[in-house]
Amino acid sequence: MAEPERTRRRQRPAPLLFEPSAAATDPEHFFDLESIEDPRELLTRATELTLAFRAAQDRAVEFQALAAAQLADPRRFDRLPPQAIAALAEWTEDYARKMIEFGEDLQRGTSPDPA
């Protein structure tokens, strides 16, 4: 059951369009959604953005895990203990250990379903 979900997450979401810096400072402005008047179009674009942000979050977490595993690698002369990794990422030590393990699984290509 985990495999179809992982496959679904790998689908390419709608691209995130970067906002001009002037628009980004306006708290009412969000990816130009406020200018869409048709509710169907608004729902479609907002859904695309939601899926894109979820996919980006999933991917970023995987990169965090890979980095944590690399930083904790015992073969590194400058390896960091889980406490130091936790401090760098503003995690608890327990979460850092789990992320290190997840990253090691990703490196081996045997990542379990993170749920």
Side-chain angles (χ1 to χ4, degrees):
M1 182 172 226
E3 196 56 39
E5 185 174 324
R6 189 169 253 328
T7 303
R8 190 169 11 119
R9 279 194 292 173
R10 294 288 186 223
Q11 291 176 349
R12 302 223 97 187
L16 293 177
L17 304 175
F18 292 95
E19 299 183 287
S21 58
T25 59
D26 179 4
E28 296 298 316
H29 185 82
F30 187 73
F31 289 89
D32 209 28
L33 292 179
E34 70 285 346
S35 68
I36 300 174
E37 294 183 19
D38 177 15
R40 289 178 193 266
E41 184 182 344
L42 178 59
L43 179 61
T44 298
R45 183 61 183 147
T47 301
E48 289 172 346
L49 285 170
T50 299
L51 295 173
F53 284 126
R54 285 181 189 157
Q57 178 196 13
D58 289 345
R59 197 72 178 122
V61 167
E62 289 176 353
F63 278 107
Q64 283 182 310
L66 286 169
Q70 290 171 1
L71 288 170
D73 188 338
R75 297 172 295 188
R76 290 176 60 113
F77 77 93
D78 61 345
R79 82 177 188 140
L80 296 177
Q83 308 92 301
I85 294 170
L88 282 172
E90 298 180 9
W91 296 333
T92 64
E93 187 175 336
D94 184 50
Y95 187 74
R97 289 183 202 284
K98 290 178 183 180
M99 288 294 278
I100 291 166
E101 185 178 315
F102 180 46
E104 290 168 346
D105 289 342
L106 287 171
Q107 289 174 328
R108 286 191 296 267
T110 60
S111 63
D113 185 12

